[in-house]
Amino acid sequence: MASSSNVLGQVSTDTQLANGPDDGISGLSWSPLSRHLAVASWEGKVRIYDMTHTRSGEGRALIDFGGPALSCSWSKDGQKVIGAGADKAARLLDLASNGAPPQQVAAHDAPISSVHFFTPPSSNAPMIVTGSWDKTIKYWDLRQQSAVASVACQERVYSMDVKGDLLVTGTADRHINIIKLDNPTTFHQTLRSPLHHQTRVVSCFNDANGFAIGSIEGRCAFRFIDKKDTSLNFTFKCHRSPPANNITTAHAVNAISFHPQHGTFSTAGSDGTFHFWDKDTHMRIRAFPSAGGSISATAFSGDGGVFAYAVSYDWSKGYAGSSAQVPNKVMLHAVGEEECKPKGRGGERR
């Protein structure tokens, strides 16, 4: 175990995003090319903020929805933002369109829980993939009005991520579906989550050779795609309160984000803390103190220099846990090189 002075991070200098959403925050996404942040929230909007000239950000644009916005994503060229949510639609804002309003580009029969831009392996034209509580994944070509393909899942899609040619979904009843995008309508692998309780988040590795799973039981699992790498699979405990009266409280792992340069990763949960880890050495690089409320979403900026985390109610305690006293804000943490760079044998082993 490394000494606490080497692993305890600071949040006292973190900056709050100015004029953030007025309701629960469900998704964060950075432009891959600039310091622009998209924020999806239960107020029914995806807001876009510019952090280029101010640490606290300036509002630049928004996409309106007819219900809570649950997910948002940027195009690879940093020109377009897609959002989706409870009104069963996905809407696209083209920031280079000289003020043209957002356009609906996708629809499902139930709320859309996740939306992502991706580029098919055989094409340079960006496409969109949506995952929904109607138990389907759909692919959308922006040049067409209807979905180009649909894939039936076993259950409602709760979480989805895309990196390179890898797409992973986590559904209700702990199903995990793995798709290689060179064959987008066929499951490359399906499995039950190695974690024993409801899946909250799936997140692909940067090199697309595996993915992480977070659940409501305060545990994470890492799974590699190739059979030759299965010996590297592992699970670990996190976001658990110290035992009290011989009872340990487990908190939901709501978000897992990978650093774009170093490949290290963050976890964040309903205990209000986030941590930075190295998956290859199974070590914690930094632990951070509580932010004062559940952390519902996280994201590293494209250059890896800023870590955004949403302090917002995550519904882990149901309707009864929501109140006007629950904090609701997006915080911006300047990432130090020593906080996310792999440390080899340094750090705290889990």
Side-chain angles (χ1 to χ4, degrees), residues 23-61:
D23 207 340
I25 299 157
S26 48
L28 300 173
S29 180
W30 287 94
S31 165
L33 301 180
S34 65
R35 289 278 177 89
H36 286 75
L37 178 68
V39 181
S41 76
W42 281 62
E43 69 176 356
K45 294 179 174 63
V46 170
R47 297 179 181 270
I48 295 96
Y49 297 87
D50 182 356
M51 250 72 71
T52 305
H53 303 296
T54 173
R55 288 183 61 194
S56 59
E58 297 177 295
R60 291 301 188 199

PDB file of all heavy atoms in Angstrom, residues 23-61:
ATOM      1  N   ASP A  23     -31.642  20.549 -13.632  1.00  0.00           N
ATOM      2  CA  ASP A  23     -32.185  19.261 -13.206  1.00  0.00           C
ATOM      3  C   ASP A  23     -31.087  18.211 -13.317  1.00  0.00           C
ATOM      4  O   ASP A  23     -29.958  18.514 -13.709  1.00  0.00           O
ATOM      5  CB  ASP A  23     -33.399  18.890 -14.056  1.00  0.00           C
ATOM      6  CG  ASP A  23     -34.376  17.972 -13.321  1.00  0.00           C
ATOM      7  OD1 ASP A  23     -33.949  17.324 -12.338  1.00  0.00           O
ATOM      8  OD2 ASP A  23     -35.543  17.884 -13.738  1.00  0.00           O
ATOM      9  N   GLY A  24     -31.416  16.972 -12.977  1.00  0.00           N
ATOM     10  CA  GLY A  24     -30.441  15.900 -12.930  1.00  0.00           C
ATOM     11  C   GLY A  24     -29.629  15.770 -14.201  1.00  0.00           C
ATOM     12  O   GLY A  24     -30.156  15.882 -15.309  1.00  0.00           O
ATOM     13  N   ILE A  25     -28.331  15.495 -14.056  1.00  0.00           N
ATOM     14  CA  ILE A  25     -27.414  15.423 -15.190  1.00  0.00           C
ATOM     15  C   ILE A  25     -27.195  13.953 -15.540  1.00  0.00           C
ATOM     16  O   ILE A  25     -26.809  13.152 -14.687  1.00  0.00           O
ATOM     17  CB  ILE A  25     -26.090  16.120 -14.857  1.00  0.00           C
ATOM     18  CG1 ILE A  25     -26.359  17.600 -14.563  1.00  0.00           C
ATOM     19  CG2 ILE A  25     -25.096  15.974 -16.001  1.00  0.00           C
ATOM     20  CD1 ILE A  25     -25.301  18.258 -13.713  1.00  0.00           C
ATOM     21  N   SER A  26     -27.442  13.607 -16.794  1.00  0.00           N
ATOM     22  CA  SER A  26     -27.426  12.207 -17.211  1.00  0.00           C
ATOM     23  C   SER A  26     -26.284  11.849 -18.141  1.00  0.00           C
ATOM     24  O   SER A  26     -25.964  10.672 -18.304  1.00  0.00           O
ATOM     25  CB  SER A  26     -28.757  11.852 -17.892  1.00  0.00           C
ATOM     26  OG  SER A  26     -29.097  12.836 -18.855  1.00  0.00           O
ATOM     27  N   GLY A  27     -25.655  12.828 -18.789  1.00  0.00           N
ATOM     28  CA  GLY A  27     -24.591  12.511 -19.731  1.00  0.00           C
ATOM     29  C   GLY A  27     -23.647  13.676 -19.961  1.00  0.00           C
ATOM     30  O   GLY A  27     -24.071  14.842 -19.962  1.00  0.00           O
ATOM     31  N   LEU A  28     -22.355  13.365 -20.140  1.00  0.00           N
ATOM     32  CA  LEU A  28     -21.330  14.358 -20.450  1.00  0.00           C
ATOM     33  C   LEU A  28     -20.530  13.855 -21.649  1.00  0.00           C
ATOM     34  O   LEU A  28     -20.207  12.664 -21.737  1.00  0.00           O
ATOM     35  CB  LEU A  28     -20.370  14.556 -19.272  1.00  0.00           C
ATOM     36  CG  LEU A  28     -20.958  15.047 -17.946  1.00  0.00           C
ATOM     37  CD1 LEU A  28     -19.876  15.015 -16.860  1.00  0.00           C
ATOM     38  CD2 LEU A  28     -21.509  16.459 -18.091  1.00  0.00           C
ATOM     39  N   SER A  29     -20.195  14.753 -22.567  1.00  0.00           N
ATOM     40  CA  SER A  29     -19.393  14.370 -23.728  1.00  0.00           C
ATOM     41  C   SER A  29     -18.568  15.566 -24.192  1.00  0.00           C
ATOM     42  O   SER A  29     -19.116  16.654 -24.411  1.00  0.00           O
ATOM     43  CB  SER A  29     -20.296  13.882 -24.867  1.00  0.00           C
ATOM     44  OG  SER A  29     -19.528  13.512 -26.001  1.00  0.00           O
ATOM     45  N   TRP A  30     -17.251  15.370 -24.323  1.00  0.00           N
ATOM     46  CA  TRP A  30     -16.358  16.419 -24.807  1.00  0.00           C
ATOM     47  C   TRP A  30     -16.176  16.312 -26.319  1.00  0.00           C
ATOM     48  O   TRP A  30     -16.118  15.211 -26.869  1.00  0.00           O
ATOM     49  CB  TRP A  30     -14.985  16.278 -24.168  1.00  0.00           C
ATOM     50  CG  TRP A  30     -14.886  16.662 -22.725  1.00  0.00           C
ATOM     51  CD1 TRP A  30     -14.998  15.829 -21.649  1.00  0.00           C
ATOM     52  CD2 TRP A  30     -14.621  17.965 -22.197  1.00  0.00           C
ATOM     53  NE1 TRP A  30     -14.823  16.532 -20.491  1.00  0.00           N
ATOM     54  CE2 TRP A  30     -14.588  17.848 -20.789  1.00  0.00           C
ATOM     55  CE3 TRP A  30     -14.408  19.217 -22.774  1.00  0.00           C
ATOM     56  CZ2 TRP A  30     -14.345  18.932 -19.952  1.00  0.00           C
ATOM     57  CZ3 TRP A  30     -14.164  20.305 -21.941  1.00  0.00           C
ATOM     58  CH2 TRP A  30     -14.138  20.162 -20.547  1.00  0.00           C
ATOM     59  N   SER A  31     -16.017  17.464 -26.961  1.00  0.00           N
ATOM     60  CA  SER A  31     -15.569  17.461 -28.345  1.00  0.00           C
ATOM     61  C   SER A  31     -14.187  16.814 -28.403  1.00  0.00           C
ATOM     62  O   SER A  31     -13.341  17.082 -27.553  1.00  0.00           O
ATOM     63  CB  SER A  31     -15.490  18.892 -28.873  1.00  0.00           C
ATOM     64  OG  SER A  31     -14.741  18.942 -30.079  1.00  0.00           O
ATOM     65  N   PRO A  32     -13.918  15.969 -29.400  1.00  0.00           N
ATOM     66  CA  PRO A  32     -12.593  15.347 -29.496  1.00  0.00           C
ATOM     67  C   PRO A  32     -11.496  16.312 -29.903  1.00  0.00           C
ATOM     68  O   PRO A  32     -10.314  15.995 -29.760  1.00  0.00           O
ATOM     69  CB  PRO A  32     -12.791  14.260 -30.560  1.00  0.00           C
ATOM     70  CG  PRO A  32     -13.931  14.748 -31.387  1.00  0.00           C
ATOM     71  CD  PRO A  32     -14.836  15.488 -30.454  1.00  0.00           C
ATOM     72  N   LEU A  33     -11.890  17.508 -30.392  1.00  0.00           N
ATOM     73  CA  LEU A  33     -10.902  18.424 -30.958  1.00  0.00           C
ATOM     74  C   LEU A  33     -10.753  19.734 -30.198  1.00  0.00           C
ATOM     75  O   LEU A  33      -9.845  20.512 -30.506  1.00  0.00           O
ATOM     76  CB  LEU A  33     -11.268  18.731 -32.420  1.00  0.00           C
ATOM     77  CG  LEU A  33     -11.347  17.528 -33.366  1.00  0.00           C
ATOM     78  CD1 LEU A  33     -11.714  17.995 -34.765  1.00  0.00           C
ATOM     79  CD2 LEU A  33     -10.035  16.763 -33.386  1.00  0.00           C
ATOM     80  N   SER A  34     -11.625  20.008 -29.240  1.00  0.00           N
ATOM     81  CA  SER A  34     -11.566  21.304 -28.569  1.00  0.00           C
ATOM     82  C   SER A  34     -12.144  21.192 -27.164  1.00  0.00           C
ATOM     83  O   SER A  34     -12.700  20.162 -26.785  1.00  0.00           O
ATOM     84  CB  SER A  34     -12.339  22.359 -29.376  1.00  0.00           C
ATOM     85  OG  SER A  34     -13.726  22.034 -29.418  1.00  0.00           O
ATOM     86  N   ARG A  35     -12.048  22.263 -26.407  1.00  0.00           N
ATOM     87  CA  ARG A  35     -12.584  22.292 -25.055  1.00  0.00           C
ATOM     88  C   ARG A  35     -14.050  22.733 -25.083  1.00  0.00           C
ATOM     89  O   ARG A  35     -14.430  23.759 -24.525  1.00  0.00           O
ATOM     90  CB  ARG A  35     -11.750  23.234 -24.182  1.00  0.00           C
ATOM     91  CG  ARG A  35     -10.338  22.702 -23.855  1.00  0.00           C
ATOM     92  CD  ARG A  35     -10.368  21.739 -22.703  1.00  0.00           C
ATOM     93  NE  ARG A  35      -9.054  21.162 -22.415  1.00  0.00           N
ATOM     94  CZ  ARG A  35      -8.155  21.688 -21.585  1.00  0.00           C
ATOM     95  NH1 ARG A  35      -8.421  22.837 -20.972  1.00  0.00           N
ATOM     96  NH2 ARG A  35      -7.012  21.081 -21.354  1.00  0.00           N
ATOM     97  N   HIS A  36     -14.875  21.948 -25.762  1.00  0.00           N
ATOM     98  CA  HIS A  36     -16.312  22.146 -25.773  1.00  0.00           C
ATOM     99  C   HIS A  36     -16.969  20.924 -25.137  1.00  0.00           C
ATOM    100  O   HIS A  36     -16.619  19.784 -25.473  1.00  0.00           O
ATOM    101  CB  HIS A  36     -16.839  22.347 -27.196  1.00  0.00           C
ATOM    102  CG  HIS A  36     -16.518  23.696 -27.775  1.00  0.00           C
ATOM    103  ND1 HIS A  36     -15.254  24.019 -28.219  1.00  0.00           N
ATOM    104  CD2 HIS A  36     -17.293  24.794 -27.987  1.00  0.00           C
ATOM    105  CE1 HIS A  36     -15.265  25.268 -28.677  1.00  0.00           C
ATOM    106  NE2 HIS A  36     -16.482  25.754 -28.556  1.00  0.00           N
ATOM    107  N   LEU A  37     -17.906  21.170 -24.226  1.00  0.00           N
ATOM    108  CA  LEU A  37     -18.535  20.099 -23.461  1.00  0.00           C
ATOM    109  C   LEU A  37     -20.038  20.091 -23.701  1.00  0.00           C
ATOM    110  O   LEU A  37     -20.700  21.129 -23.608  1.00  0.00           O
ATOM    111  CB  LEU A  37     -18.260  20.308 -21.965  1.00  0.00           C
ATOM    112  CG  LEU A  37     -18.890  19.300 -20.993  1.00  0.00           C
ATOM    113  CD1 LEU A  37     -18.264  17.923 -21.160  1.00  0.00           C
ATOM    114  CD2 LEU A  37     -18.727  19.786 -19.550  1.00  0.00           C
ATOM    115  N   ALA A  38     -20.590  18.919 -24.018  1.00  0.00           N
ATOM    116  CA  ALA A  38     -22.037  18.741 -24.129  1.00  0.00           C
ATOM    117  C   ALA A  38     -22.548  18.099 -22.847  1.00  0.00           C
ATOM    118  O   ALA A  38     -21.933  17.170 -22.316  1.00  0.00           O
ATOM    119  CB  ALA A  38     -22.381  17.873 -25.332  1.00  0.00           C
ATOM    120  N   VAL A  39     -23.690  18.593 -22.359  1.00  0.00           N
ATOM    121  CA  VAL A  39     -24.269  18.120 -21.097  1.00  0.00           C
ATOM    122  C   VAL A  39     -25.734  17.776 -21.330  1.00  0.00           C
ATOM    123  O   VAL A  39     -26.535  18.635 -21.714  1.00  0.00           O
ATOM    124  CB  VAL A  39     -24.157  19.195 -19.998  1.00  0.00           C
ATOM    125  CG1 VAL A  39     -24.730  18.676 -18.682  1.00  0.00           C
ATOM    126  CG2 VAL A  39     -22.704  19.645 -19.809  1.00  0.00           C
ATOM    127  N   ALA A  40     -26.097  16.514 -21.094  1.00  0.00           N
ATOM    128  CA  ALA A  40     -27.490  16.074 -21.205  1.00  0.00           C
ATOM    129  C   ALA A  40     -28.111  16.035 -19.818  1.00  0.00           C
ATOM    130  O   ALA A  40     -27.478  15.593 -18.858  1.00  0.00           O
ATOM    131  CB  ALA A  40     -27.560  14.686 -21.838  1.00  0.00           C
ATOM    132  N   SER A  41     -29.370  16.479 -19.711  1.00  0.00           N
ATOM    133  CA  SER A  41     -29.977  16.543 -18.393  1.00  0.00           C
ATOM    134  C   SER A  41     -31.482  16.284 -18.438  1.00  0.00           C
ATOM    135  O   SER A  41     -32.109  16.306 -19.496  1.00  0.00           O
ATOM    136  CB  SER A  41     -29.724  17.911 -17.751  1.00  0.00           C
ATOM    137  OG  SER A  41     -30.562  18.897 -18.332  1.00  0.00           O
ATOM    138  N   TRP A  42     -32.018  16.063 -17.240  1.00  0.00           N
ATOM    139  CA  TRP A  42     -33.442  15.782 -17.089  1.00  0.00           C
ATOM    140  C   TRP A  42     -34.310  17.020 -17.306  1.00  0.00           C
ATOM    141  O   TRP A  42     -35.539  16.909 -17.326  1.00  0.00           O
ATOM    142  CB  TRP A  42     -33.713  15.184 -15.709  1.00  0.00           C
ATOM    143  CG  TRP A  42     -33.364  13.719 -15.636  1.00  0.00           C
ATOM    144  CD1 TRP A  42     -32.140  13.160 -15.808  1.00  0.00           C
ATOM    145  CD2 TRP A  42     -34.272  12.639 -15.418  1.00  0.00           C
ATOM    146  NE1 TRP A  42     -32.216  11.796 -15.694  1.00  0.00           N
ATOM    147  CE2 TRP A  42     -33.516  11.458 -15.449  1.00  0.00           C
ATOM    148  CE3 TRP A  42     -35.637  12.573 -15.173  1.00  0.00           C
ATOM    149  CZ2 TRP A  42     -34.083  10.200 -15.266  1.00  0.00           C
ATOM    150  CZ3 TRP A  42     -36.206  11.314 -14.976  1.00  0.00           C
ATOM    151  CH2 TRP A  42     -35.433  10.150 -15.030  1.00  0.00           C
ATOM    152  N   GLU A  43     -33.717  18.180 -17.477  1.00  0.00           N
ATOM    153  CA  GLU A  43     -34.505  19.359 -17.808  1.00  0.00           C
ATOM    154  C   GLU A  43     -34.962  19.323 -19.271  1.00  0.00           C
ATOM    155  O   GLU A  43     -35.679  20.215 -19.725  1.00  0.00           O
ATOM    156  CB  GLU A  43     -33.710  20.638 -17.541  1.00  0.00           C
ATOM    157  CG  GLU A  43     -32.541  20.830 -18.493  1.00  0.00           C
ATOM    158  CD  GLU A  43     -31.810  22.147 -18.286  1.00  0.00           C
ATOM    159  OE1 GLU A  43     -32.264  22.952 -17.448  1.00  0.00           O
ATOM    160  OE2 GLU A  43     -30.790  22.374 -18.955  1.00  0.00           O
ATOM    161  N   GLY A  44     -34.545  18.287 -20.016  1.00  0.00           N
ATOM    162  CA  GLY A  44     -34.977  18.123 -21.400  1.00  0.00           C
ATOM    163  C   GLY A  44     -34.132  18.870 -22.395  1.00  0.00           C
ATOM    164  O   GLY A  44     -34.616  19.256 -23.461  1.00  0.00           O
ATOM    165  N   LYS A  45     -32.851  19.038 -22.086  1.00  0.00           N
ATOM    166  CA  LYS A  45     -31.954  19.771 -22.984  1.00  0.00           C
ATOM    167  C   LYS A  45     -30.587  19.107 -23.013  1.00  0.00           C
ATOM    168  O   LYS A  45     -30.149  18.492 -22.030  1.00  0.00           O
ATOM    169  CB  LYS A  45     -31.787  21.230 -22.538  1.00  0.00           C
ATOM    170  CG  LYS A  45     -33.043  22.078 -22.633  1.00  0.00           C
ATOM    171  CD  LYS A  45     -32.767  23.489 -22.136  1.00  0.00           C
ATOM    172  CE  LYS A  45     -33.978  24.402 -22.348  1.00  0.00           C
ATOM    173  NZ  LYS A  45     -35.157  23.969 -21.587  1.00  0.00           N
ATOM    174  N   VAL A  46     -29.897  19.230 -24.151  1.00  0.00           N
ATOM    175  CA  VAL A  46     -28.460  19.024 -24.234  1.00  0.00           C
ATOM    176  C   VAL A  46     -27.845  20.392 -24.459  1.00  0.00           C
ATOM    177  O   VAL A  46     -28.137  21.057 -25.460  1.00  0.00           O
ATOM    178  CB  VAL A  46     -28.076  18.064 -25.383  1.00  0.00           C
ATOM    179  CG1 VAL A  46     -26.565  18.060 -25.589  1.00  0.00           C
ATOM    180  CG2 VAL A  46     -28.568  16.656 -25.091  1.00  0.00           C
ATOM    181  N   ARG A  47     -27.045  20.830 -23.510  1.00  0.00           N
ATOM    182  CA  ARG A  47     -26.401  22.143 -23.592  1.00  0.00           C
ATOM    183  C   ARG A  47     -24.944  21.986 -23.995  1.00  0.00           C
ATOM    184  O   ARG A  47     -24.275  21.051 -23.565  1.00  0.00           O
ATOM    185  CB  ARG A  47     -26.492  22.869 -22.246  1.00  0.00           C
ATOM    186  CG  ARG A  47     -27.924  23.187 -21.809  1.00  0.00           C
ATOM    187  CD  ARG A  47     -27.925  23.882 -20.446  1.00  0.00           C
ATOM    188  NE  ARG A  47     -29.265  24.195 -19.975  1.00  0.00           N
ATOM    189  CZ  ARG A  47     -29.906  25.325 -20.225  1.00  0.00           C
ATOM    190  NH1 ARG A  47     -29.314  26.254 -20.958  1.00  0.00           N
ATOM    191  NH2 ARG A  47     -31.114  25.526 -19.760  1.00  0.00           N
ATOM    192  N   ILE A  48     -24.435  22.924 -24.805  1.00  0.00           N
ATOM    193  CA  ILE A  48     -23.049  22.904 -25.255  1.00  0.00           C
ATOM    194  C   ILE A  48     -22.338  24.121 -24.677  1.00  0.00           C
ATOM    195  O   ILE A  48     -22.809  25.254 -24.809  1.00  0.00           O
ATOM    196  CB  ILE A  48     -22.942  22.905 -26.799  1.00  0.00           C
ATOM    197  CG1 ILE A  48     -23.532  21.602 -27.369  1.00  0.00           C
ATOM    198  CG2 ILE A  48     -21.497  23.021 -27.236  1.00  0.00           C
ATOM    199  CD1 ILE A  48     -24.960  21.702 -27.812  1.00  0.00           C
ATOM    200  N   TYR A  49     -21.211  23.845 -24.013  1.00  0.00           N
ATOM    201  CA  TYR A  49     -20.436  24.893 -23.354  1.00  0.00           C
ATOM    202  C   TYR A  49     -19.037  24.987 -23.964  1.00  0.00           C
ATOM    203  O   TYR A  49     -18.458  23.982 -24.387  1.00  0.00           O
ATOM    204  CB  TYR A  49     -20.297  24.592 -21.856  1.00  0.00           C
ATOM    205  CG  TYR A  49     -21.599  24.568 -21.104  1.00  0.00           C
ATOM    206  CD1 TYR A  49     -22.349  23.406 -21.035  1.00  0.00           C
ATOM    207  CD2 TYR A  49     -22.079  25.704 -20.459  1.00  0.00           C
ATOM    208  CE1 TYR A  49     -23.550  23.379 -20.340  1.00  0.00           C
ATOM    209  CE2 TYR A  49     -23.272  25.684 -19.761  1.00  0.00           C
ATOM    210  CZ  TYR A  49     -24.004  24.517 -19.712  1.00  0.00           C
ATOM    211  OH  TYR A  49     -25.194  24.498 -19.021  1.00  0.00           O
ATOM    212  N   ASP A  50     -18.515  26.217 -23.968  1.00  0.00           N
ATOM    213  CA  ASP A  50     -17.182  26.493 -24.509  1.00  0.00           C
ATOM    214  C   ASP A  50     -16.254  26.829 -23.341  1.00  0.00           C
ATOM    215  O   ASP A  50     -16.492  27.767 -22.596  1.00  0.00           O
ATOM    216  CB  ASP A  50     -17.268  27.666 -25.484  1.00  0.00           C
ATOM    217  CG  ASP A  50     -15.935  27.984 -26.141  1.00  0.00           C
ATOM    218  OD1 ASP A  50     -14.926  27.350 -25.795  1.00  0.00           O
ATOM    219  OD2 ASP A  50     -15.906  28.882 -27.007  1.00  0.00           O
ATOM    220  N   MET A  51     -15.197  26.013 -23.169  1.00  0.00           N
ATOM    221  CA  MET A  51     -14.220  26.243 -22.102  1.00  0.00           C
ATOM    222  C   MET A  51     -12.914  26.812 -22.650  1.00  0.00           C
ATOM    223  O   MET A  51     -11.892  26.799 -21.965  1.00  0.00           O
ATOM    224  CB  MET A  51     -13.937  24.932 -21.379  1.00  0.00           C
ATOM    225  CG  MET A  51     -14.481  24.876 -19.976  1.00  0.00           C
ATOM    226  SD  MET A  51     -16.276  24.727 -19.932  1.00  0.00           S
ATOM    227  CE  MET A  51     -16.491  23.067 -20.506  1.00  0.00           C
ATOM    228  N   THR A  52     -12.930  27.328 -23.876  1.00  0.00           N
ATOM    229  CA  THR A  52     -11.700  27.776 -24.517  1.00  0.00           C
ATOM    230  C   THR A  52     -11.086  28.975 -23.802  1.00  0.00           C
ATOM    231  O   THR A  52      -9.862  29.049 -23.617  1.00  0.00           O
ATOM    232  CB  THR A  52     -11.966  28.145 -25.988  1.00  0.00           C
ATOM    233  OG1 THR A  52     -12.566  27.030 -26.648  1.00  0.00           O
ATOM    234  CG2 THR A  52     -10.665  28.512 -26.689  1.00  0.00           C
ATOM    235  N   HIS A  53     -11.921  29.905 -23.373  1.00  0.00           N
ATOM    236  CA  HIS A  53     -11.408  31.169 -22.842  1.00  0.00           C
ATOM    237  C   HIS A  53     -11.713  31.383 -21.371  1.00  0.00           C
ATOM    238  O   HIS A  53     -11.260  32.374 -20.792  1.00  0.00           O
ATOM    239  CB  HIS A  53     -11.976  32.347 -23.656  1.00  0.00           C
ATOM    240  CG  HIS A  53     -11.680  32.272 -25.120  1.00  0.00           C
ATOM    241  ND1 HIS A  53     -10.405  32.329 -25.634  1.00  0.00           N
ATOM    242  CD2 HIS A  53     -12.509  32.110 -26.192  1.00  0.00           C
ATOM    243  CE1 HIS A  53     -10.464  32.232 -26.944  1.00  0.00           C
ATOM    244  NE2 HIS A  53     -11.716  32.098 -27.316  1.00  0.00           N
ATOM    245  N   THR A  54     -12.469  30.483 -20.760  1.00  0.00           N
ATOM    246  CA  THR A  54     -12.785  30.631 -19.340  1.00  0.00           C
ATOM    247  C   THR A  54     -12.872  29.267 -18.689  1.00  0.00           C
ATOM    248  O   THR A  54     -13.370  28.318 -19.293  1.00  0.00           O
ATOM    249  CB  THR A  54     -14.114  31.390 -19.147  1.00  0.00           C
ATOM    250  OG1 THR A  54     -14.472  31.373 -17.767  1.00  0.00           O
ATOM    251  CG2 THR A  54     -15.248  30.760 -19.946  1.00  0.00           C
ATOM    252  N   ARG A  55     -12.368  29.162 -17.479  1.00  0.00           N
ATOM    253  CA  ARG A  55     -12.339  27.876 -16.786  1.00  0.00           C
ATOM    254  C   ARG A  55     -13.734  27.369 -16.443  1.00  0.00           C
ATOM    255  O   ARG A  55     -13.965  26.167 -16.369  1.00  0.00           O
ATOM    256  CB  ARG A  55     -11.522  28.001 -15.491  1.00  0.00           C
ATOM    257  CG  ARG A  55     -10.027  28.145 -15.701  1.00  0.00           C
ATOM    258  CD  ARG A  55      -9.306  28.184 -14.368  1.00  0.00           C
ATOM    259  NE  ARG A  55      -9.522  26.964 -13.612  1.00  0.00           N
ATOM    260  CZ  ARG A  55      -9.232  26.832 -12.326  1.00  0.00           C
ATOM    261  NH1 ARG A  55      -8.743  27.868 -11.648  1.00  0.00           N
ATOM    262  NH2 ARG A  55      -9.451  25.681 -11.699  1.00  0.00           N
ATOM    263  N   SER A  56     -14.678  28.303 -16.254  1.00  0.00           N
ATOM    264  CA  SER A  56     -16.024  27.904 -15.844  1.00  0.00           C
ATOM    265  C   SER A  56     -16.974  27.704 -17.021  1.00  0.00           C
ATOM    266  O   SER A  56     -18.099  27.247 -16.828  1.00  0.00           O
ATOM    267  CB  SER A  56     -16.614  28.944 -14.880  1.00  0.00           C
ATOM    268  OG  SER A  56     -16.678  30.221 -15.498  1.00  0.00           O
ATOM    269  N   GLY A  57     -16.534  28.036 -18.233  1.00  0.00           N
ATOM    270  CA  GLY A  57     -17.321  27.761 -19.418  1.00  0.00           C
ATOM    271  C   GLY A  57     -18.360  28.815 -19.750  1.00  0.00           C
ATOM    272  O   GLY A  57     -18.834  29.553 -18.886  1.00  0.00           O
ATOM    273  N   GLU A  58     -18.714  28.857 -21.016  1.00  0.00           N
ATOM    274  CA  GLU A  58     -19.757  29.750 -21.513  1.00  0.00           C
ATOM    275  C   GLU A  58     -20.736  28.938 -22.352  1.00  0.00           C
ATOM    276  O   GLU A  58     -20.330  28.124 -23.185  1.00  0.00           O
ATOM    277  CB  GLU A  58     -19.150  30.851 -22.387  1.00  0.00           C
ATOM    278  CG  GLU A  58     -18.195  31.775 -21.658  1.00  0.00           C
ATOM    279  CD  GLU A  58     -17.572  32.800 -22.601  1.00  0.00           C
ATOM    280  OE1 GLU A  58     -16.831  32.386 -23.508  1.00  0.00           O
ATOM    281  OE2 GLU A  58     -17.843  34.007 -22.425  1.00  0.00           O
ATOM    282  N   GLY A  59     -22.034  29.146 -22.142  1.00  0.00           N
ATOM    283  CA  GLY A  59     -23.038  28.458 -22.926  1.00  0.00           C
ATOM    284  C   GLY A  59     -23.029  28.927 -24.374  1.00  0.00           C
ATOM    285  O   GLY A  59     -22.985  30.129 -24.642  1.00  0.00           O
ATOM    286  N   ARG A  60     -23.048  27.966 -25.318  1.00  0.00           N
ATOM    287  CA  ARG A  60     -22.974  28.309 -26.733  1.00  0.00           C
ATOM    288  C   ARG A  60     -24.209  27.899 -27.521  1.00  0.00           C
ATOM    289  O   ARG A  60     -24.599  28.558 -28.471  1.00  0.00           O
ATOM    290  CB  ARG A  60     -21.736  27.665 -27.363  1.00  0.00           C
ATOM    291  CG  ARG A  60     -20.411  28.246 -26.899  1.00  0.00           C
ATOM    292  CD  ARG A  60     -20.329  29.719 -27.189  1.00  0.00           C
ATOM    293  NE  ARG A  60     -19.006  30.271 -26.930  1.00  0.00           N
ATOM    294  CZ  ARG A  60     -18.761  31.561 -26.760  1.00  0.00           C
ATOM    295  NH1 ARG A  60     -19.762  32.422 -26.817  1.00  0.00           N
ATOM    296  NH2 ARG A  60     -17.546  31.986 -26.536  1.00  0.00           N
ATOM    297  N   ALA A  61     -24.823  26.780 -27.175  1.00  0.00           N
ATOM    298  CA  ALA A  61     -25.958  26.272 -27.954  1.00  0.00           C
ATOM    299  C   ALA A  61     -26.687  25.231 -27.121  1.00  0.00           C
ATOM    300  O   ALA A  61     -26.192  24.790 -26.079  1.00  0.00           O
ATOM    301  CB  ALA A  61     -25.475  25.659 -29.264  1.00  0.00           C
TER     302      ALA A  61
END
